[in-house]
């Protein structure tokens, strides 16, 4: 139950765009996942379970081993590496952007094939930088995504049961919530904290 709990937020957030773009039972596609955090790691699991070639796009080279060996990603692109970004141009059919930090979309759009689609589910605090030419020349589409309703959530949970998908979590007790918040501020969590409300606490 603890590893399933974040599926009701992070899970359905990344599942709905995949469903909306017919990526659950479609023939094998090349999809990209921007960011390997609480949303991104679940997106990789879904993409692999549905039979797709999954490439993680990240600013952190140190996450490549985790992406490939633990989560099964087929490819890894360091977005700050010009050579890797150039090699990845026009190779992906679909990109799911899960990053909530400020970042430009232009270079990531260039990774899409002609008529490719990017769906944004992260929520940066500042307006996203979107240059026109990568959008126009590739006839690409950018869309937003949001969590699904009860029907989609039930479908997602059924598929998670079928493919044995859960979130990678750390369980914290009420006494350790402040410590968990401090770690969140340092991006020190893989990949979701789950609070054990029933856990003993001297403050309850």
């Amino acid at each position: 139950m603890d590893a399933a709990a974040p599926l009701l937020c992070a899970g359905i957030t990344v599942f709905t765009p995949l469903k909306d773009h017919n990526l659950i039972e479609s023939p094998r596609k090349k999809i990209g996942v921007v960011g390997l955090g609480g949303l991104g790691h679940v997106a990789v699991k879904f993409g692999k379970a549905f039979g797709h070639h999954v490439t993680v796009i990240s600013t952190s080279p140190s996450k490549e081993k985790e992406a490939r060996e633990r989560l099964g990603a087929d490819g890894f692109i360091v977005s700050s590496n010009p050579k890797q970004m150039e090699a990845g141009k026009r190779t992906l059919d679909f990109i799911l952007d899960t990053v909530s930090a400020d970042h430009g979309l232009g270079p990531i759009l260039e990774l899409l094939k002609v008529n490719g689609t990017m769906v944004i589910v992260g929520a940066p605090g500042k307006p996203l930088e979107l240059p026109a030419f990568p959008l126009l020349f590739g006839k690409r589409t950018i869309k937003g995504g949001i969590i699904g309703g009860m029907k989609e959530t039930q479908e997602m949970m059924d598929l998670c049961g079928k493919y044995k998908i859960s979130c990678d979590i750390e369980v914290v007790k009420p006494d350790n919530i402040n410590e968990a918040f401090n770690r969140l501020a340092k991006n020190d969590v893989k990949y979701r904290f789950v609070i054990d409300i029933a856990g003993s606490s001297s403050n309850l």
Side-chain angles (χ1 to χ4, degrees):
M1 294 295 287
D2 51 2
L7 291 172
L8 301 178
C9 182
I12 190 63
T13 297
V14 297
F15 173 82
T16 301
L18 298 177
K19 175 180 170 62
D20 288 347
H21 292 83
N22 302 313
L23 291 169
I24 297 177
E25 296 180 351
S26 73
R28 182 177 173 89
K29 299 286 187 180
K30 289 190 172 183
I31 68 175
V33 176
V34 185
L36 193 64
L39 296 175
H41 89 285
V42 185
V44 173
K45 291 183 179 184
F46 280 141
K48 292 302 299 177
F50 301 155
H52 300 300
H53 181 285
V54 180
T55 296
V56 172
I57 302 138
S58 174
T59 59
S60 304
S62 61
K63 291 186 176 181
E64 181 171 4
K65 183 176 181 181
E66 174 109 356
R68 291 184 182 274
E69 296 182 8
R70 287 198 65 249
L71 300 174
D74 302 283
F76 191 92
I77 296 175
V78 179
S79 57
S80 58
N81 185 314
K83 290 184 178 180
Q84 291 188 21
M85 292 294 284
E86 181 66 27
K89 278 188 175 181
R90 299 200 174 194
T91 60
L92 303 176
D93 299 291
F94 177 88
I95 293 176
L96 188 63
D97 188 336
T98 71
V99 175
S100 58
D102 297 332
H103 62 293
L105 299 181
I108 299 171
L109 275 174
E110 295 281 16
L111 301 176
L112 283 173
K113 297 177 182 178
V114 173
N115 290 319
T117 299
M118 176 191 291
V119 176
I120 297 171
V121 294
K126 296 180 181 179
L128 292 165
E129 179 185 331
L130 177 60
F133 287 117
L135 192 65
L136 299 175
F137 288 159
K139 297 198 296 184
R140 300 170 176 112
T141 301
I142 297 180
K143 300 173 65 175
I146 194 65
I147 63 173
M150 294 297 291
K151 181 179 179 181
E152 291 86 359
T153 302
Q154 184 61 64
E155 180 181 358
M156 177 205 66
M157 294 301 290
D158 291 341
L159 287 170
C160 286
K162 176 181 178 180
Y163 293 112
K164 302 187 185 315
I165 294 173
S166 61
C167 295
D168 293 1
I169 64 163
E170 291 184 53
V171 177
V172 296
K173 295 190 179 297
D175 278 345
N176 303 117
I177 289 176
N178 287 339
E179 178 187 348
F181 270 118
N182 290 334
R183 288 182 55 195
L184 277 175
K186 299 175 183 176
N187 200 26
D188 177 26
V189 54
K190 289 186 178 178
Y191 286 99
R192 276 288 190 263
F193 284 128
V194 174
I195 302 170
D196 177 12
I197 298 297
S200 61
S201 172
S202 59
N203 297 323
L204 296 180

